């Protein structure tokens, strides 16, 4: 069956390799590359026959990887760490390329091969780092934002490297060729900016109107691959065109939907790419050069750690941040394979150098999760000993006490802060998003800029003197990290926390949080309330229903506090003494009488505490205030007392005492007495 058989072999091998990598807590791409080694031409057993055809399909994977990267690209994501990302990352790349070039010369390689070696090791792995950060639950930290900003710029740097490096093989001819390549790139970019930004959104709008998801996906694929081919016709890289197409698409209204649709396709073809990379690795070469590979990895590790730490420190980040960034980004990344494949196709990178780089990259990727775990311990040590970092900007009087800390100034946090501000409660906002921080400042709210999961930032917000902590962050990993850090700094601090899902409510209760809000359940209750209002169900009955459901939802399944028994008794006491609302109809016996005249307290044991009459609310009403039809009466009492009141107001009025024909009964509880109160 030819390529169909090869494709089946690759998919099954990738499944097995990916599953093993996942069980070992390694990135899936490591498993894919190991699968490629096993089914490649350099090993025995089941082998892919049409290697060249698979490599051609893998080129589509490269294009789709860069197409998705272009869609995801956003200057807003770089805004928080823009200086170190936009200036520091190019410095890091140039320093690493210089050191790599020097190392290559020492190893006896040519100057051109050494330059490629430096360029390849200058890139770190976006996939490995993001996967590890997500597993550790630290994606929202300041350090992770620095790393993500630098990774984005590194990935972008691959595009000019693909254009420039192949043209430097012949320095005399290369400058002219490079100039022509730059001119072609400028023409292509101008065409895409002025033409693509108008044509692509219009095309997607027309396709989207048809409500055909299948056609929408095909259109996206055609744009990514088709514009890549146009770029190739311009004499540029196929991948470069796909990246530019993604960047143009990122500015349209359909960018989010486009990314969600293209990701599965990207992952499948990306899998083909990484398997094809593994197929190129010669195990015989690896065995023969194992000592050199290990030595190179041992050299790359301290060099990249030192360069990243120095650049991070250069831009003002202190304490454990520089070392943590360096330890996380020491590996050789997956886009080095993209660049190396271009070098192999242009005969600029020898097969031996490719195998050497691939071996070093695999080794450093496998070590990354373990090194990053160690970096967490180092970061915690610095947090305990360090002081406030410059970027944890404090814009309020540090002597403020008895305030409310709001972690997150998104939609929920901003609304909460606005209401509390109107009520006169002092608040301090913690926010790591630059634009959200500016909005808080514009609202004249005290702000600490930084990650709420950092002890340094929490201390800057006055966590030791705070009265309450409100955690409104939407990400589950961020919420739990904030709670853990705040609890370690101030164990007695009360917290009200936004829970992302029901399973997280149990995790938060285990951390000692008992005041929880689940947004989806609250939205569901409100939808039910509004839906029931369209039926013949009294408003008070609807309110009682939603209140009952809410109590059941937020009732802790397990309480870990020592005063749990007292809290539970208080809950039961509150349940036994509640206010129930009754609407008086024209047939009610209370119409025209007052609470004193009807002797409600003596007959039922309940007390009238509120009367709602049209637009007015009477709290603790006068006992002589006569009831009218349509009054909504709030009655306080136990369930038994409220039930007695319900029966009382629906009974027929007793005969009025008459001295001529009626004898007053003054012995029973139902006697009619007029009491002046």
């Amino acid at each position: 069956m030819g390529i169909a058989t090869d494709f089946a072999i690759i998919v099954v091998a990738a499944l097995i390799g990916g599953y093993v990598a996942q069980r070992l807590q390694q990135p899936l791409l490591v498993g894919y590359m190991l699968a490629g080694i096993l089914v490649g031409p350099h090993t025995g057993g089941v082998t892919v026959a049409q290697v060249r055809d698979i490599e051609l399909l893998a080129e589509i994977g490269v294009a789709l990887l860069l197409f998705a990267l272009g869609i995801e690209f956003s200057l807003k994501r770089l805004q928080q760490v823009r200086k170190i990302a936009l200036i520091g990352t190019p410095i890091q790349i140039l320093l690493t390329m210089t050191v790599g070039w020097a190392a290559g010369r020492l190893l006896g390689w040519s100057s051109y091969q050494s330059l490629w070696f430096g360029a390849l090791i200058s890139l770190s792995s976006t996939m490995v780092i993001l996967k590890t950060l997500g597993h550790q639950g630290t994606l929202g930290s300041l350090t992770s934002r620095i790393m993500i900003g630098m990774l984005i710029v590194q990935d972008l740097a691959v595009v000019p490297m693909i254009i420039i490096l192949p043209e430097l093989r012949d320095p005399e001819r290369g400058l002219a060729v490079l100039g022509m390549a730059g001119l072609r790139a400028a023409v292509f970019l101008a065409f895409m900016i002025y033409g693509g930004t108008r044509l692509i959104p219009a095309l997607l709008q027309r396709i989207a109107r048809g409500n055909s998801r299948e056609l929408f996906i095909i259109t996206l694929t055609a744009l990514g691959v088709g514009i890549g081919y146009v770029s190739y016709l311009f004499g540029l890289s196929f991948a470069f065109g796909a990246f530019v197409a993604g960047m143009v698409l990122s500015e349209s209204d359909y960018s989010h939907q486009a990314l969600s649709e293209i990701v599965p396709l990207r992952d499948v073809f990306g899998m083909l790419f990484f398997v094809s990379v593994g197929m190129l690795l010669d195990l015989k070469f690896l065995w023969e050069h194992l000592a050199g590979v290990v030595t190179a990895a041992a050299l790359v590790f301290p060099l990249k750690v030192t360069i990243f730490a120095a650049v991070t420190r250069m831009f003002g980040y202190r304490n454990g941040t520089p070392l943590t960034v360096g330890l996380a980004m020491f590996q050789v990344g997956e886009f080095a394979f993209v660049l190396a494949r271009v070098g192999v196709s242009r005969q600029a990178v020898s097969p031996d150098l490719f195998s050497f780089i691939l071996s070093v990259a695999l080794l450093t990727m496998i070590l990354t999760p373990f090194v990053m775990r160690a970096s967490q311990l180092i970061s915690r040590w610095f947090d305990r000993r360090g002081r406030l970092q410059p970027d944890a900007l404090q814009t309020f009087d540090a002597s403020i006490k008895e305030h409310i800390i709001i972690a997150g100034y998104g939609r929920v946090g901003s609304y909460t802060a606005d209401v509390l501000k109107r009520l006169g409660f002092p608040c301090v906002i913690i926010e790591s998003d630059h634009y959200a921080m500016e909005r808080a400042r514009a609202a004249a709210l005290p702000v600490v800029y930084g990650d709420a999961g950092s002890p340094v930032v929490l201390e800057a917000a006055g966590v030791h003197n705070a009265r309450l902590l409100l955690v409104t962050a939407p990400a589950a990993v961020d919420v739990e990290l904030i709670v853990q850090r705040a609890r370690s700094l101030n164990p007695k601090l009360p917290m009200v926390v936004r829970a992302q899902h029901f399973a997280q409510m149990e995790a938060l209760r285990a951390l000692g949080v008992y005041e929880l809000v689940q947004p989806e359940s609250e939205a569901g209750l409100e939808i039910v309330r509004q839906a029931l209002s369209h039926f013949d169900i009294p408003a008070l009955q609807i309110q009682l229903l939603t209140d009952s459901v809410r109590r059941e939802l937020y009732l802790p399944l397990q309480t870990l506090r020592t005063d749990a028994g007292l809290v539970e008794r208080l809950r039961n006491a509150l349940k036994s003494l509640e206010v129930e609302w009754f609407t008086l109809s024209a047939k009610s016996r209370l119409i025209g009488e007052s609470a004193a005249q009807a002797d409600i307290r003596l007959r039922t044991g309940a007390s009238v505490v509120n009367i709602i009459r049209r637009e007015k609310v009477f709290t603790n009403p006068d006992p002589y205030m006569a009831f009218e039809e349509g009054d909504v009466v709030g009655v306080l009492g136990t369930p038994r007392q409220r039930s007695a009141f319900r029966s009382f107001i629906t009974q027929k009025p007793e005969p009025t005492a008459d001295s001529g024909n009626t004898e007053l009964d003054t012995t029973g509880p139902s006697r009619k007495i007029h009491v002046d109160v």
Side-chain angles (χ1 to χ4, degrees):
M1 292 178 63
I3 193 172
T5 303
D6 291 341
F7 186 78
I9 292 172
I10 287 173
V11 171
V12 173
L15 171 63
I16 297 172
Y19 178 76
V20 172
Q22 184 184 57
R23 298 294 295 176
L24 296 176
Q25 296 186 353
Q26 295 293 322
L28 295 181
L29 62 92
V30 173
Y32 296 157
M33 286 188 284
L34 292 176
I37 294 172
L38 293 177
V39 300
H42 303 291
T43 56
V46 179
T47 303
V48 172
Q50 307 294 330
V51 176
R52 180 56 184 165
D53 292 339
I54 297 300
E55 290 178 354
L56 292 175
L57 288 176
E59 294 296 327
I60 300 177
V62 175
L64 292 178
L65 280 171
L66 289 172
F67 181 52
L69 176 64
I71 296 176
E72 290 180 293
F73 176 71
S74 172
L75 287 174
K76 291 182 180 179
R77 297 179 64 183
L78 297 178
Q79 183 65 32
Q80 304 161 20
V81 290
R82 59 187 182 278
K83 290 184 179 179
I84 188 172
L86 297 176
I87 302 174
T89 307
I91 294 174
Q92 171 266 317
I93 291 174
L94 291 174
L95 287 174
T96 309
M97 288 180 66
T98 302
V99 173
W101 174 83
R105 296 296 289 163
L106 289 175
L107 292 173
W109 297 339
S110 68
S111 181
Y112 185 55
Q113 293 271 34
S114 300
L115 181 62
W116 273 90
F117 177 73
L120 294 171
I121 67 171
S122 69
L123 304 172
S124 301
S125 175
T126 303
M127 293 185 180
V128 173
I129 292 175
L130 290 181
K131 177 74 174 179
T132 307
L133 288 173
H135 181 73
Q136 293 177 348
T138 56
L139 271 173
S141 66
L142 171 66
T143 305
S144 70
R145 288 186 172 90
I146 294 172
M147 289 188 282
I148 292 171
M150 298 185 78
L151 287 168
I152 290 173
V153 177
Q154 278 191 355
D155 293 346
L156 295 176
V158 172
V159 177
M161 285 183 180
I162 288 174
I163 297 174
I164 295 172
L165 286 176
E167 307 301 338
L168 296 179
R169 187 170 188 174
D170 185 354
E172 296 180 358
R173 176 178 173 272
L175 291 176
V177 175
L178 185 59
M180 287 300 299
L183 180 61
R184 289 194 297 269
V187 173
F188 179 75
L189 285 172
F191 170 75
M192 290 300 299
I193 290 173
Y194 292 103
T197 53
R198 292 167 175 79
L199 296 176
I200 291 178
L203 174 63
L204 288 177
Q205 183 181 34
R206 182 174 293 274
I207 296 297
R209 285 176 180 172
N211 292 323
S212 173
R213 181 181 178 186
E214 180 180 354
L215 190 58
F216 189 79
I217 296 174
I218 293 174
T219 304
L220 292 173
T221 308
L223 286 172
V225 178
I227 295 177
Y229 181 68
V230 173
S231 171
Y232 174 76
L233 295 178
F234 267 78
L236 302 170
S237 167
F238 184 81
F240 173 70
F243 173 76
V244 173
M247 284 192 65
V248 171
L249 184 56
S250 70
E251 299 301 322
S252 75
D253 295 333
Y254 303 95
S255 59
H256 295 93
Q257 182 63 23
L259 183 61
S260 65
E261 299 290 3
I262 206 66
V263 161
L265 195 63
R266 177 203 67 183
D267 291 343
V268 172
F269 280 94
M271 174 270 294
L272 281 176
F273 169 72
F274 289 114
V275 170
S276 70
V277 168
M279 290 165 56
L280 294 178
L281 179 63
D282 188 346
L283 290 180
K284 181 180 178 182
F285 173 87
L286 177 60
W287 179 254
E288 292 175 351
H289 298 82
L290 183 60
V293 170
V294 173
T295 302
L299 288 174
V300 167
F301 177 79
L303 288 174
K304 291 191 72 173
V305 169
T306 302
I307 291 172
F308 274 105
V311 170
T312 306
R313 182 65 182 84
M314 183 191 308
F315 282 84
Y317 297 96
R318 297 185 175 87
N319 297 332
T321 302
L323 186 58
T324 304
V325 171
L327 289 172
M329 302 186 71
F330 77 93
Q331 74 289 126
V332 179
E334 62 275 355
F335 275 104
F337 304 143
V338 176
L339 186 59
R341 285 292 298 268
V342 173
V344 171
S345 65
R346 300 285 188 91
Q347 297 181 344
V349 174
S350 66
D352 286 350
L353 178 59
F354 183 88
S355 297
F356 190 83
I357 288 292
L358 177 58
S359 304
V360 173
L362 277 173
L363 181 57
T364 55
M365 284 181 177
I366 292 171
L367 292 174
T368 297
F370 304 101
V371 175
M372 288 183 69
R373 286 174 196 157
S375 72
Q376 277 193 317
L377 299 176
I378 297 172
S379 178
R380 290 171 186 169
W381 183 83
F382 274 102
D383 279 339
R384 289 193 297 268
R385 297 176 60 88
R387 295 179 295 176
L388 184 66
Q389 298 186 46
D391 52 298
L393 299 178
Q394 189 169 299
T395 62
F396 66 97
D397 184 0
S399 64
I400 186 173
K401 295 182 179 180
E402 294 296 311
H403 57 289
I404 301 172
I405 299 175
I406 302 178
Y409 196 71
R411 287 174 294 181
V412 176
S414 59
Y415 179 78
T416 303
D418 180 61
V419 174
L420 291 174
K421 181 182 177 183
R422 293 182 185 181
L423 295 174
F425 289 97
C427 299
V428 173
I429 310 298
I430 298 179
E431 182 54 67
S432 58
D433 183 88
H434 179 79
Y435 293 103
M437 181 193 70
E438 292 297 333
R439 290 199 308 271
R441 282 181 174 176
L445 289 167
V447 185
V448 173
Y449 174 74
D451 172 30
S454 167
V456 175
V457 175
L458 285 169
E459 289 178 355
V463 69
H464 296 293
N465 301 319
R467 185 173 182 178
L468 181 66
L469 171 64
L470 306 181
V471 183
T472 64
V477 291
D478 292 345
V479 169
E480 294 182 29
L481 180 64
I482 293 168
V483 169
Q484 289 174 353
R485 296 287 172 81
R487 186 67 73 199
S488 65
L489 294 172
N490 188 351
K492 297 182 179 180
L493 179 64
M495 301 181 189
V496 179
V497 179
R498 172 182 178 177
Q500 186 69 16
H501 42 72
F502 291 110
Q504 191 187 23
M505 294 176 73
E506 285 305 304
L508 290 169
R509 283 168 183 152
L511 294 173
V513 179
Y514 301 94
E515 302 297 333
L516 300 167
V517 178
Q518 214 284 315
E520 283 76 11
S521 63
E522 292 294 335
L525 282 174
E526 180 60 19
I527 290 173
V528 169
R529 187 192 68 78
Q530 295 192 27
L532 293 178
S533 67
H534 290 273
F535 297 90
D536 295 330
I537 301 176
L540 295 177
Q541 186 176 344
I542 295 173
Q543 188 63 45
L544 288 172
L545 172 64
T546 55
D547 288 345
S548 175
V549 173
R550 185 177 285 107
R551 282 196 301 271
E552 293 177 4
L553 174 66
Y554 293 117
L555 180 66
L557 301 178
Q558 185 178 9
T559 305
L560 303 178
R561 291 177 289 184
T562 56
D563 57 350
L566 174 60
V567 172
E568 192 61 31
R569 288 195 295 274
L570 289 172
R571 276 201 195 95
N572 293 332
L574 289 173
K575 285 183 179 180
S576 66
L577 193 67
E578 293 182 344
V579 175
E580 187 170 347
W581 297 88
F582 301 88
T583 302
L584 301 183
S585 66
K587 298 180 180 180
S588 174
R589 66 178 297 171
L590 291 182
I591 301 302
E593 292 191 4
S594 66
Q597 291 172 332
D599 213 0
I600 292 174
R601 183 75 177 86
L602 183 61
R603 291 176 181 273
T604 67
S607 300
V608 176
V609 294
N610 279 287
I611 297 177
I612 301 176
R613 180 172 295 167
R614 290 178 288 276
E615 302 299 327
K616 294 184 178 180
V617 178
F618 300 92
T619 303
N620 292 324
D622 190 303
Y624 287 110
M625 180 179 178
F627 295 105
E628 297 180 3
E629 179 184 351
D631 282 353
V632 180
V633 181
V635 177
L636 176 68
T638 65
R640 184 175 180 179
Q641 291 168 341
R642 300 194 305 271
S643 177
F645 179 84
R646 185 183 300 106
S647 300
F648 174 70
I649 64 175
T650 56
Q651 292 173 356
K652 292 182 179 180
E654 298 177 359
T656 305
D658 187 329
S659 58
N661 56 18
T662 304
E663 182 180 349
L664 287 177
D665 180 4
T666 60
T667 60
S670 61
R671 59 196 174 102
K672 189 80 169 178
I673 301 177
H674 295 277
V675 182
D676 292 333
V677 180

